Amino acid sequence: MKKQLIALSVLALVSGVASAQAVDTLAKIKSSGTVNLGVRDSSGLGFTLGNGKYVGFHTEMAERIVDDLKKDVGASSLKINYVPITSQNRVPLVQNGTVDFECGSTTNNRARGKDVAFAVTTYVEEVRIATKKSSGINGIKDLNGKTVVTTTGTTSVQTLRKNERANGIDFKDVQGKDHADSFLLLESGRADAFVMDGSILAANIAKAKNAGDFHIVGETLSVEPIACMFRKDDPKLKTAIDNSIKRQIKDGSLAKLYDKWFMQPIPPANVNLHMPASESTKAAWANPNDKPMEDYNTK
């Protein structure tokens, strides 16, 4: 029995060492010459123009990170393989290594922190309510008896139900398979309100056929730090990505990139979202950190 226990202990130790050594994404990137970058189809921070073209604030920021990774691994060039991910599959695809890292609209929270790791925050999101102007909904209290849509795999419904101002509010919740599907439920009248990150709501309204029929209303339901996500226990990759982001903040290029995508006309409809950087986002840039949303003052 003693020998068996010793053997099991050695096996566990070897397995632990193997596991700790297994995560070296920079070595994988150097060997393959390719970065598998997780991208979004309809996020406010990154979206597709079709035909495999992905754009947006976080997508372009990620491309600049890859450019810096090229120097870190000593490669003359790195190919980016754009891997479309969704709110449902983003964590498992990062965990199993299909995606090297993703920079979309993922909230850094403690629950996700058990499975994955996050870079320093690059955008602080405010969760809001979008509705039709004709709905009569102007805030949380008006959601009583209504149908509220959010997107599968996101934190928005939990955020709404936990909000102290939602006490006593009874609403039916439905879930879209992605943000575009959620907005379609609102657009078609199958939902009365869409609860989601403000940037995602603004982007979907801007792209709507009748954009003037919709608006964002009510209280800020939650303040959430958004950050690039990658596998746990990969300190080399975290340092490399954090350093690139801090470099982009320090030289002012990240702020210019933000203005490009939120304060100027953007494709595909050449719409200006008119969303200046919030004070929370500016504070995150002033003091880069990877604090989860639980460390923010939320109500």
Side-chain angles (χ1 to χ4, degrees), residues 242-271:
D242 280 351
N243 285 345
S244 176
I245 292 170
K246 290 175 183 176
R247 190 271 303 164
Q248 294 183 51
I249 291 172
K250 187 175 182 179
D251 67 15
S253 58
L254 191 70
K256 291 180 181 176
L257 192 60
Y258 180 95
D259 284 346
K260 172 183 175 181
W261 289 101
F262 290 101
M263 297 298 291
Q264 300 174 31
I266 58 173
N270 216 32
V271 170

Short mmCIF file of all heavy atoms in Angstrom, two decimals, residues 242-271:
data_model
loop_
_atom_site.label_atom_id
_atom_site.label_comp_id
_atom_site.label_asym_id
_atom_site.label_seq_id
_atom_site.Cartn_x
_atom_site.Cartn_y
_atom_site.Cartn_z
N ASP A 242 0.01 41.99 -21.65
CA ASP A 242 -0.09 43.17 -20.79
C ASP A 242 0.87 44.27 -21.24
O ASP A 242 0.51 45.45 -21.29
CB ASP A 242 0.22 42.79 -19.33
CG ASP A 242 -0.97 42.14 -18.63
OD1 ASP A 242 -2.06 42.13 -19.21
OD2 ASP A 242 -0.78 41.64 -17.51
N ASN A 243 2.11 43.88 -21.55
CA ASN A 243 3.10 44.88 -21.98
C ASN A 243 2.69 45.58 -23.26
O ASN A 243 2.89 46.79 -23.41
CB ASN A 243 4.47 44.21 -22.17
CG ASN A 243 5.15 43.89 -20.84
OD1 ASN A 243 4.75 44.40 -19.79
ND2 ASN A 243 6.16 43.04 -20.88
N SER A 244 2.10 44.83 -24.18
CA SER A 244 1.66 45.45 -25.44
C SER A 244 0.54 46.45 -25.19
O SER A 244 0.55 47.56 -25.73
CB SER A 244 1.18 44.37 -26.42
OG SER A 244 0.67 44.99 -27.60
N ILE A 245 -0.42 46.05 -24.35
CA ILE A 245 -1.54 46.95 -24.05
C ILE A 245 -1.04 48.20 -23.33
O ILE A 245 -1.44 49.33 -23.65
CB ILE A 245 -2.60 46.22 -23.21
CG1 ILE A 245 -3.27 45.12 -24.05
CG2 ILE A 245 -3.65 47.20 -22.69
CD1 ILE A 245 -4.16 44.19 -23.25
N LYS A 246 -0.14 48.01 -22.36
CA LYS A 246 0.40 49.17 -21.63
C LYS A 246 1.18 50.09 -22.57
O LYS A 246 1.13 51.31 -22.43
CB LYS A 246 1.29 48.68 -20.48
CG LYS A 246 0.52 48.00 -19.36
CD LYS A 246 1.47 47.43 -18.31
CE LYS A 246 0.71 46.68 -17.21
NZ LYS A 246 1.63 46.03 -16.24
N ARG A 247 1.85 49.49 -23.54
CA ARG A 247 2.57 50.30 -24.53
C ARG A 247 1.58 51.10 -25.36
O ARG A 247 1.79 52.31 -25.61
CB ARG A 247 3.40 49.35 -25.43
CG ARG A 247 4.39 50.04 -26.35
CD ARG A 247 3.80 50.41 -27.70
NE ARG A 247 3.26 49.26 -28.41
CZ ARG A 247 2.43 49.36 -29.44
NH1 ARG A 247 2.04 50.56 -29.86
NH2 ARG A 247 1.96 48.28 -30.04
N GLN A 248 0.47 50.48 -25.77
CA GLN A 248 -0.54 51.16 -26.58
C GLN A 248 -1.22 52.28 -25.77
O GLN A 248 -1.62 53.30 -26.32
CB GLN A 248 -1.57 50.16 -27.09
CG GLN A 248 -1.01 49.14 -28.07
CD GLN A 248 -2.07 48.20 -28.61
OE1 GLN A 248 -3.11 48.63 -29.10
NE2 GLN A 248 -1.81 46.88 -28.52
N ILE A 249 -1.37 52.05 -24.47
CA ILE A 249 -1.95 53.10 -23.62
C ILE A 249 -0.97 54.27 -23.49
O ILE A 249 -1.33 55.43 -23.67
CB ILE A 249 -2.29 52.53 -22.21
CG1 ILE A 249 -3.44 51.54 -22.29
CG2 ILE A 249 -2.62 53.67 -21.25
CD1 ILE A 249 -3.71 50.79 -20.99
N LYS A 250 0.29 53.94 -23.20
CA LYS A 250 1.30 54.97 -22.92
C LYS A 250 1.57 55.85 -24.13
O LYS A 250 1.72 57.08 -23.99
CB LYS A 250 2.60 54.30 -22.44
CG LYS A 250 3.65 55.28 -21.96
CD LYS A 250 4.87 54.55 -21.40
CE LYS A 250 5.91 55.54 -20.88
NZ LYS A 250 7.10 54.83 -20.33
N ASP A 251 1.63 55.26 -25.32
CA ASP A 251 1.94 56.09 -26.49
C ASP A 251 0.70 56.75 -27.11
O ASP A 251 0.79 57.43 -28.13
CB ASP A 251 2.71 55.28 -27.54
CG ASP A 251 1.88 54.15 -28.18
OD1 ASP A 251 0.66 54.16 -28.04
OD2 ASP A 251 2.49 53.27 -28.81
N GLY A 252 -0.46 56.54 -26.47
CA GLY A 252 -1.67 57.20 -26.92
C GLY A 252 -2.38 56.54 -28.07
O GLY A 252 -3.46 56.98 -28.49
N SER A 253 -1.82 55.46 -28.59
CA SER A 253 -2.42 54.83 -29.77
C SER A 253 -3.74 54.12 -29.42
O SER A 253 -4.63 54.04 -30.27
CB SER A 253 -1.44 53.84 -30.41
OG SER A 253 -1.04 52.85 -29.50
N LEU A 254 -3.88 53.65 -28.17
CA LEU A 254 -5.14 52.98 -27.80
C LEU A 254 -6.29 53.99 -27.76
O LEU A 254 -7.40 53.69 -28.22
CB LEU A 254 -5.00 52.27 -26.45
CG LEU A 254 -6.16 51.33 -26.11
CD1 LEU A 254 -6.13 50.09 -27.02
CD2 LEU A 254 -6.14 50.89 -24.66
N ALA A 255 -6.03 55.18 -27.21
CA ALA A 255 -7.06 56.22 -27.16
C ALA A 255 -7.46 56.65 -28.58
O ALA A 255 -8.65 56.86 -28.87
CB ALA A 255 -6.57 57.42 -26.36
N LYS A 256 -6.47 56.78 -29.48
CA LYS A 256 -6.78 57.13 -30.87
C LYS A 256 -7.60 56.03 -31.55
O LYS A 256 -8.50 56.30 -32.33
CB LYS A 256 -5.48 57.38 -31.63
CG LYS A 256 -4.74 58.64 -31.20
CD LYS A 256 -3.45 58.82 -32.00
CE LYS A 256 -2.72 60.07 -31.55
NZ LYS A 256 -1.41 60.23 -32.24
N LEU A 257 -7.26 54.78 -31.21
CA LEU A 257 -8.00 53.65 -31.78
C LEU A 257 -9.45 53.66 -31.28
O LEU A 257 -10.38 53.39 -32.05
CB LEU A 257 -7.31 52.34 -31.37
CG LEU A 257 -7.75 51.07 -32.09
CD1 LEU A 257 -7.49 51.19 -33.59
CD2 LEU A 257 -7.00 49.87 -31.52
N TYR A 258 -9.62 53.99 -30.00
CA TYR A 258 -10.97 54.07 -29.44
C TYR A 258 -11.78 55.13 -30.21
O TYR A 258 -12.92 54.87 -30.61
CB TYR A 258 -10.92 54.43 -27.95
CG TYR A 258 -12.29 54.52 -27.33
CD1 TYR A 258 -12.85 53.42 -26.68
CD2 TYR A 258 -13.06 55.68 -27.44
CE1 TYR A 258 -14.13 53.48 -26.15
CE2 TYR A 258 -14.34 55.75 -26.92
CZ TYR A 258 -14.86 54.65 -26.27
OH TYR A 258 -16.14 54.72 -25.76
N ASP A 259 -11.20 56.31 -30.40
CA ASP A 259 -11.92 57.37 -31.10
C ASP A 259 -12.27 56.96 -32.54
O ASP A 259 -13.33 57.33 -33.05
CB ASP A 259 -11.08 58.65 -31.13
CG ASP A 259 -11.08 59.36 -29.78
OD1 ASP A 259 -11.93 59.02 -28.93
OD2 ASP A 259 -10.23 60.24 -29.57
N LYS A 260 -11.39 56.20 -33.15
CA LYS A 260 -11.64 55.74 -34.52
C LYS A 260 -12.93 54.91 -34.59
O LYS A 260 -13.70 55.06 -35.55
CB LYS A 260 -10.45 54.91 -35.02
CG LYS A 260 -10.69 54.23 -36.35
CD LYS A 260 -9.49 53.37 -36.76
CE LYS A 260 -9.78 52.60 -38.05
NZ LYS A 260 -8.62 51.74 -38.44
N TRP A 261 -13.15 54.07 -33.56
CA TRP A 261 -14.27 53.13 -33.64
C TRP A 261 -15.51 53.59 -32.90
O TRP A 261 -16.59 53.01 -33.05
CB TRP A 261 -13.83 51.76 -33.12
CG TRP A 261 -12.91 51.11 -34.11
CD1 TRP A 261 -11.55 51.03 -34.04
CD2 TRP A 261 -13.28 50.50 -35.35
NE1 TRP A 261 -11.05 50.41 -35.15
CE2 TRP A 261 -12.08 50.07 -35.97
CE3 TRP A 261 -14.49 50.27 -36.00
CZ2 TRP A 261 -12.08 49.43 -37.22
CZ3 TRP A 261 -14.49 49.64 -37.23
CH2 TRP A 261 -13.29 49.23 -37.82
N PHE A 262 -15.40 54.63 -32.05
CA PHE A 262 -16.57 55.06 -31.28
C PHE A 262 -16.94 56.52 -31.49
O PHE A 262 -18.00 56.96 -31.06
CB PHE A 262 -16.36 54.79 -29.79
CG PHE A 262 -16.38 53.33 -29.45
CD1 PHE A 262 -15.20 52.64 -29.25
CD2 PHE A 262 -17.58 52.63 -29.35
CE1 PHE A 262 -15.21 51.29 -28.95
CE2 PHE A 262 -17.60 51.29 -29.05
CZ PHE A 262 -16.40 50.60 -28.85
N MET A 263 -16.06 57.29 -32.15
CA MET A 263 -16.34 58.71 -32.33
C MET A 263 -16.25 59.15 -33.78
O MET A 263 -16.31 60.35 -34.08
CB MET A 263 -15.36 59.55 -31.49
CG MET A 263 -15.46 59.32 -29.98
SD MET A 263 -17.08 59.78 -29.30
CE MET A 263 -17.01 61.56 -29.47
N GLN A 264 -16.10 58.20 -34.68
CA GLN A 264 -16.04 58.50 -36.11
C GLN A 264 -16.93 57.52 -36.86
O GLN A 264 -17.22 56.43 -36.34
CB GLN A 264 -14.60 58.39 -36.61
CG GLN A 264 -13.62 59.35 -35.93
CD GLN A 264 -12.19 59.10 -36.37
OE1 GLN A 264 -11.93 58.69 -37.50
NE2 GLN A 264 -11.24 59.35 -35.48
N PRO A 265 -17.37 57.86 -38.06
CA PRO A 265 -18.18 56.92 -38.84
C PRO A 265 -17.43 55.61 -39.08
O PRO A 265 -16.25 55.62 -39.40
CB PRO A 265 -18.40 57.67 -40.16
CG PRO A 265 -18.25 59.11 -39.79
CD PRO A 265 -17.19 59.14 -38.74
N ILE A 266 -18.15 54.50 -38.86
CA ILE A 266 -17.53 53.18 -39.00
C ILE A 266 -18.33 52.32 -39.97
O ILE A 266 -19.53 52.53 -40.16
CB ILE A 266 -17.41 52.46 -37.64
CG1 ILE A 266 -18.80 52.31 -36.98
CG2 ILE A 266 -16.46 53.21 -36.72
CD1 ILE A 266 -18.79 51.46 -35.72
N PRO A 267 -17.67 51.33 -40.58
CA PRO A 267 -18.38 50.43 -41.47
C PRO A 267 -19.27 49.49 -40.67
O PRO A 267 -19.08 49.35 -39.47
CB PRO A 267 -17.22 49.67 -42.15
CG PRO A 267 -16.10 49.70 -41.13
CD PRO A 267 -16.24 51.04 -40.44
N PRO A 268 -20.27 48.84 -41.26
CA PRO A 268 -20.54 48.87 -42.70
C PRO A 268 -21.47 50.01 -43.13
O PRO A 268 -21.53 50.33 -44.30
CB PRO A 268 -21.23 47.52 -42.92
CG PRO A 268 -21.95 47.27 -41.63
CD PRO A 268 -21.06 47.82 -40.56
N ALA A 269 -22.19 50.64 -42.18
CA ALA A 269 -23.20 51.63 -42.55
C ALA A 269 -22.68 53.06 -42.42
O ALA A 269 -23.44 54.01 -42.58
CB ALA A 269 -24.45 51.46 -41.69
N ASN A 270 -21.40 53.22 -42.10
CA ASN A 270 -20.80 54.55 -41.95
C ASN A 270 -21.51 55.37 -40.88
O ASN A 270 -21.72 56.57 -41.02
CB ASN A 270 -20.86 55.29 -43.29
CG ASN A 270 -19.62 56.15 -43.49
OD1 ASN A 270 -18.53 55.80 -43.03
ND2 ASN A 270 -19.78 57.27 -44.17
N VAL A 271 -21.85 54.69 -39.77
CA VAL A 271 -22.57 55.32 -38.67
C VAL A 271 -21.59 55.72 -37.58
O VAL A 271 -20.64 54.99 -37.27
CB VAL A 271 -23.61 54.33 -38.07
CG1 VAL A 271 -24.19 54.87 -36.77
CG2 VAL A 271 -24.71 54.09 -39.08
#
